[in-house]
Amino acid sequence: MRIFSAVAMFSLLLFLAGCRQDMHDQPKYKPLGESRFFADGRDARPIPPGTIARDELNDNDSFHTGAANGEFLDAIPLKVDLNLLHRGQERFNIFCSPCHGRTGDGNGMVAQRGVKIPADFHTDRLRSVPPGYIYQVIKNGYGAMGDYGDQIPVNDRWAIVAYVKALQLSRDATLNDVPTARRAQLSGGNQPPLLGAPR
Amino acid sequence: MPQYFSRSANSFARFTILGAVCVLVAVCWLGYLIVRSPYEMMQNVPREQPVPFSHEHHVGGLGIDCRYCHTTVEKSSFANIPATKICMNCHSQMWATSPMLEPVRESYRTGKSIEWTRVNDLPEFVYFDHSIHVNHGVGCATCHGRVDKMPLTWQAAPLTMEWCLNCHRHPERYVRPRDQVFSMDYTPPPNQIALGKRLVSEYHIQSLTSCSTCHR
């Protein structure tokens, strides 16, 4: 009897052998996972050179290059309204403000930690560049600044351009530039601000 | 022949049988607790990484938004782990000779990936989607904790089915306004339930608890 129960207990232990992780770790690929098949160990395959994603055949398309006939576009090829500016403000604060600062004078946190950002959006030169030029800096980078083409989709790039232009205009705007109906806000009225306080 | 055992031995024997059952149940319960314990789930354990990347410095200190690096979190199921190039945007000039960042530079030179250790890992029979949560007002911090205070990243939530369901049954306890999703120091207001109920109807949040929501 004793032997019987001991054997029974031990065979119960065998159930533990069922605790395998096969269903937890299936041999399927998840994003940026590991592969034992490909030599470089990645399941995300590098894009072969020359690949063009759908809707992205855009060699001559000024919307994607920011230039037409060898000249930078001097207008933003999207409807510029408050929605676009809000979007631009949000994206600017995510992607540009770490270096250029929230107001664009090159005084972001990275600059404060010792890397000089030799670009101030409020210099005469950068105030006079066409929107297409700023677009193209985002897409391709400029000098010491890396490109943001992979991180920021096309529409958002234009939204950022619109916001940079708005920042530049706001720098020396006068009271006369503000619609009369909105002037009360400047003197501390309690209407919500047109472009919300930066988040 | 005299009796060896007094009458009371009978109830003693019965008591032992009961005791044996209790011990068995207790052992199973203990086993369950261990399997579900934060220790086994590796909750709150900072993970070693090939580069000691610190959210505390980059998010808490520099104020970089999550989306600068986790670029796809609003649009796709996967939040994205930043490409080496994204680190090099800054680290081509900053700490450019630090040995701590050598794996990053090496990866940039050779094109080989940095092999980060996964921190939050659901079993692969569970489907999870970031975009739907982020766009319905569930904050990063609700599931990942105060990432901006983590020198090395750890898993803040148990990630058990019970935990997912707790929110899916009562989303109003957790949702926040959409513009606060990426904020780390948002604290729910005292009238969270009222606010939550309003947001749940405003964002059309359903209570998704059927098995095929997550097991598909």
Side-chain angles (χ1 to χ4, degrees), chain B residues 93 138 148 172 188:
Chain B
Q93 287 145 297
V138 186
D148 63 332
E172 70 281 359

Side-chain angles (χ1 to χ4, degrees), chain A residues 86-125:
Chain A
H86 273 305
R87 179 77 183 171
Q89 181 185 40
E90 186 188 74
R91 298 292 126 172
F92 181 90
N93 288 342
I94 297 172
F95 291 109
C96 316
S97 72
C99 296
H100 290 285
R102 299 238 164 183
T103 54
D105 44 19
N107 195 22
M109 282 309 284
V110 168
Q112 291 173 30
R113 297 292 153 98
V115 170
K116 203 167 156 1
I117 308 292
D120 174 354
F121 294 163
H122 306 292
T123 56
D124 286 341
R125 183 176 71 85

Side-chain angles (χ1 to χ4, degrees), chain A residues 9 23-32 34 40 42 87 90-91 93-99 102 109-111 113-116 144-148 150-151 153 199, chain B residues 24 57 61-69 71 74-75 77-78 80-82 85-86 89-90 92-95 111-113 115 118 121-126 179-180 216:
Chain A
M9 286 309 270
M23 295 296 279
H24 283 243
D25 303 309
Q26 299 164 15
K28 72 179 178 192
Y29 286 162
K30 292 179 100 180
L32 302 187
E34 183 187 21
D40 63 1
R42 297 191 268 213
R87 179 77 183 171
E90 186 188 74
R91 298 292 126 172
N93 288 342
I94 297 172
F95 291 109
C96 316
S97 72
C99 296
R102 299 238 164 183
M109 282 309 284
V110 168
R113 297 292 153 98
V115 170
K116 203 167 156 1
M145 171 179 151
D147 70 274
Y148 282 76
D150 289 340
Q151 271 158 284
R199 281 187 226 119
Chain B
L24 205 70
H57 281 155
L62 302 172
I64 310 177
D65 193 288
C66 311
R67 290 163 284 182
Y68 186 95
C69 294
T71 43
E74 292 167 298
K75 305 180 285 250
S77 63
F78 183 62
N80 190 37
I81 296 295
K85 154 80 174 50
I86 294 185
N89 281 343
C90 295
S92 58
Q93 287 145 297
M94 174 157 270
W95 291 54
K112 253 183 116 286
S113 304
E115 290 178 26
R118 216 176 202 307
D121 198 2
L122 289 175
E124 296 186 4
F125 49 79
V126 182
D179 61 3
Q180 295 295 331
R216 46 169 108 175

Side-chain angles (χ1 to χ4, degrees), chain B residues 29-200:
Chain B
W29 178 243
L30 198 72
Y32 174 80
L33 282 188
I34 291 175
V35 170
R36 282 276 162 274
S37 67
Y39 176 75
E40 256 304 297
M41 306 294 281
M42 294 200 45
Q43 196 182 337
N44 302 334
V45 184
R47 241 37 85 75
E48 284 296 321
Q49 299 287 359
V51 186
F53 175 80
S54 159
H55 282 91
E56 191 180 27
H57 281 155
H58 291 85
V59 179
L62 302 172
I64 310 177
D65 193 288
C66 311
R67 290 163 284 182
Y68 186 95
C69 294
H70 302 299
T71 43
T72 56
V73 73
E74 292 167 298
K75 305 180 285 250
S76 105
S77 63
F78 183 62
N80 190 37
I81 296 295
T84 307
K85 154 80 174 50
I86 294 185
C87 310
M88 290 307 275
N89 281 343
C90 295
H91 288 295
S92 58
Q93 287 145 297
M94 174 157 270
W95 291 54
T97 52
S98 156
M100 230 192 283
L101 282 157
E102 181 50 30
V104 177
R105 290 191 297 270
E106 187 195 305
S107 159
Y108 196 61
R109 274 197 308 272
T110 60
K112 253 183 116 286
S113 304
I114 305 175
E115 290 178 26
W116 301 105
T117 308
R118 216 176 202 307
V119 180
N120 299 272
D121 198 2
L122 289 175
E124 296 186 4
F125 49 79
V126 182
Y127 171 77
F128 179 77
D129 188 322
H130 271 98
S131 62
I132 193 151
H133 291 96
V134 172
N135 294 325
H136 284 81
V138 186
C140 311
T142 309
C143 300
H144 293 303
R146 290 297 297 265
V147 175
D148 63 332
K149 298 224 163 94
M150 299 184 185
L152 281 176
T153 321
W154 63 78
Q155 172 186 326
L159 300 190
T160 54
M161 176 161 145
E162 186 186 356
W163 175 77
C164 309
L165 283 175
N166 180 36
C167 177
H168 279 210
R169 291 205 182 105
H170 311 284
E172 70 281 359
R173 291 185 194 159
Y174 303 97
V175 290
R176 48 171 89 180
R178 274 197 192 113
D179 61 3
Q180 295 295 331
V181 164
F182 299 92
S183 140
M184 282 284 121
D185 47 15
Y186 173 84
T187 37
N191 64 342
Q192 169 64 30
I193 299 296
L195 174 76
K197 287 215 166 96
R198 188 167 64 71
L199 293 176
V200 161

Side-chain angles (χ1 to χ4, degrees), chain A residues 60-78:
Chain A
N60 301 315
D61 182 348
S62 56
F63 184 61
H64 289 90
T65 59
N69 310 324
E71 299 261 320
F72 290 117
L73 293 192
D74 61 2
I76 291 164
L78 283 174

Side-chain angles (χ1 to χ4, degrees), chain A residues 153-198:
Chain A
V154 181
N155 278 21
D156 285 348
R157 290 178 215 157
W158 285 116
I160 292 175
V161 173
Y163 184 67
V164 169
K165 282 285 159 200
L167 277 180
Q168 291 175 333
L169 284 175
S170 71
R171 201 30 94 87
D172 53 12
T174 63
L175 193 59
N176 295 335
D177 298 322
V178 183
T180 2
R182 287 265 177 188
R183 278 183 202 167
Q185 273 172 254
L186 295 176
S187 46
N190 50 7
Q191 276 173 297
L194 197 56
L195 274 174

